[in-house]
Amino acid sequence: MTAGVSERLPRLLTLVPYLLARPGIAVAEAAADFGVPEAQLRRDLELLWMCGLPGYGPGDLVDLSFEGDTVTVTFDAGMRRPLRLSGAEAATLAVALRALADAPGMVDADAVQRALAKIEDAAGRVGAGPSDVVEPAGEGGVAVGLGRRPGRAEDAVRRAVETGRALRLTYYSASRDAVGRRVVDPMRLLLVDASAYLEAWCRRAEGVRLFRLDRVDDAEVLDEPSAPPPGTRGREGSGEDLLRPDDGAFVAALVLHPAARWVAEYYPVEDLHADDDGSARVTMRYGDRDWMVRLLLGLGDAVDVLAPPDLIEARRARAREALAAYGEDDR
């Protein structure tokens, strides 16, 4: 094997978001950016081409388009965003790696030590706390940051509000686990539960929306005035009222067992009720059922779905398809 797992896996996880941002990039240029031989990157691309969801149909696999010596991602199979770990997750992983490195009979202890060194080095630069984020950086590296640090995007948002200009946003929606672009007409900045939000008229949704600033990946101030339709009013009420999701979103009732309690911290949930056994009952809104099914399948038996019935059936159907693909039954 030409590259160890500890070196190759972070590169594979980073490749899809990297290529999505650079359609038609030369393979040689991408290889140079990642610091690997061109032949190695081509092997990585061939492996990515076979990655996807169980079932492995055309709509599930990562799809690449090669033209000459260039490559373009035409379908990302949900791998649009680089792997991200919270500070707590990074600390847990570091403890597990230390134990693994000391385990008798470890075949590749050096690989474990290298992975551990990268995580500890990155976490040490920030003093990773529960709200910090660890993510791949460069060729096989790891970066830790305090959530998404305020930077150029946040400065652009504030400047647009101050000057009354429209904005083009690249925004991460937690309920859909997707990044999208939209043009908005800023109205005001709000502080709700210690988080900053932009209240703006969204031209795509044709309504007033709240955009959490630490989920804005990029922002461009446009050369046109912010112009919400006449009579547009901002949302009023308490912080809870302001953050009430749209009625059009789907709602799932879930029981998160202890192994899945992190979901309530990472994704927006409502009506959280903790049980004595460490589990929690929550309602969770989502905009895409396919994405929700993938999340539930990934959680396995650490989550129970109480409602809605169509989500329960969709989860069962996808699980049966996955088992059939591996030649197993669903008993």
Side-chain angles (χ1 to χ4, degrees):
M1 195 171 182
T2 56
V5 172
S6 65
E7 297 177 2
R8 196 177 189 189
L9 180 57
R11 186 168 62 247
L12 289 170
L13 291 171
T14 309
L15 254 177
V16 174
Y18 169 89
L19 294 174
L20 283 170
R22 300 164 180 82
I25 189 173
V27 175
E29 182 181 344
D33 285 347
F34 280 88
V36 297
E38 183 177 341
Q40 177 61 54
L41 191 73
R42 288 187 180 276
R43 284 191 288 271
D44 291 341
L45 293 173
E46 290 171 359
L47 180 57
L48 274 177
W49 214 348
M50 296 182 289
C51 293
L53 300 169
Y56 307 109
D60 295 318
L61 297 173
V62 172
D63 200 4
L64 306 175
S65 172
F66 294 91
E67 185 172 343
D69 292 325
T70 67
V71 60
T72 299
V73 174
T74 56
F75 182 71
D76 56 55
M79 296 178 65
R80 177 174 294 270
R81 296 174 61 76
L83 172 68
R84 297 167 64 87
L85 299 175
S86 70
E89 290 169 337
T92 300
L93 181 58
V95 171
L97 286 172
R98 290 192 198 100
L100 186 62
D102 295 334
M106 172 54 59
V107 176
D108 195 353
D110 289 342
V112 176
Q113 292 290 354
R114 287 195 300 271
L116 177 60
K118 289 179 180 180
I119 291 174
E120 290 183 333
D121 177 64
R125 289 197 299 270
V126 186
S131 60
D132 294 346
V133 172
V134 182
E135 58 185 8
E139 187 248 329
V142 179
V144 179
L146 184 61
R148 291 186 178 172
R149 300 172 187 167
R152 189 182 70 84
E154 184 171 324
D155 290 341
V157 171
R158 296 184 183 279
R159 190 167 66 254
V161 173
E162 292 171 358
T163 60
R165 295 286 178 177
L167 271 173
R168 180 177 287 111
L169 297 179
T170 302
Y171 185 73
Y172 169 62
S173 173
S175 64
R176 291 176 170 83
D177 195 31
V179 176
R181 301 188 70 189
R182 63 188 79 196
V183 175
V184 303
D185 296 290
M187 299 168 63
R188 59 175 175 166
L189 291 172
L190 300 170
L191 187 65
V192 182
D193 293 334
S195 294
Y197 290 82
L198 168 68
E199 185 176 44
W201 174 267
C202 177
R203 298 183 185 179
R204 188 178 72 184
E206 296 185 343
V208 176
R209 296 290 185 270
L210 290 176
F211 300 95
R212 187 162 149 172
L213 293 195
D214 62 358
R215 291 178 180 161
V216 176
D217 281 342
D218 192 29
E220 177 188 354
V221 181
L222 303 180
D223 291 330
E224 58 180 282
S226 173
T232 299
R233 297 180 58 187
R235 303 187 181 191
E236 299 178 357
S238 64
E240 182 179 350
D241 293 332
L242 287 169
L243 297 179
R244 182 173 296 161
D246 297 330
D247 293 336
F250 300 107
V251 181
L254 309 174
V255 176
L256 303 174
H257 297 291
R261 281 290 297 268
W262 62 268
V263 172
E265 301 174 2
Y266 192 82
Y267 296 105
V269 300
E270 306 168 38
D271 303 324
L272 188 152
H273 299 285
D275 293 329
D276 293 338
D277 61 358
S279 62
R281 295 173 179 267
V282 303
T283 56
M284 180 175 172
R285 294 179 182 264
Y286 57 98
D288 186 299
R289 192 179 67 175
D290 287 340
W291 169 80
M292 189 63 171
V293 170
R294 291 196 296 270
L295 174 65
L296 295 172
L297 288 176
L299 294 172
D301 59 5
V303 60
D304 295 329
V305 184
L306 305 180
D310 65 321
L311 179 62
I312 297 173
E313 181 54 36
R315 182 195 192 193
R316 288 174 178 165
R318 187 68 67 86
R320 285 194 292 266
E321 292 173 5
L323 290 171
Y326 287 99
E328 301 179 13
D329 58 32
D330 57 354
R331 289 178 296 176

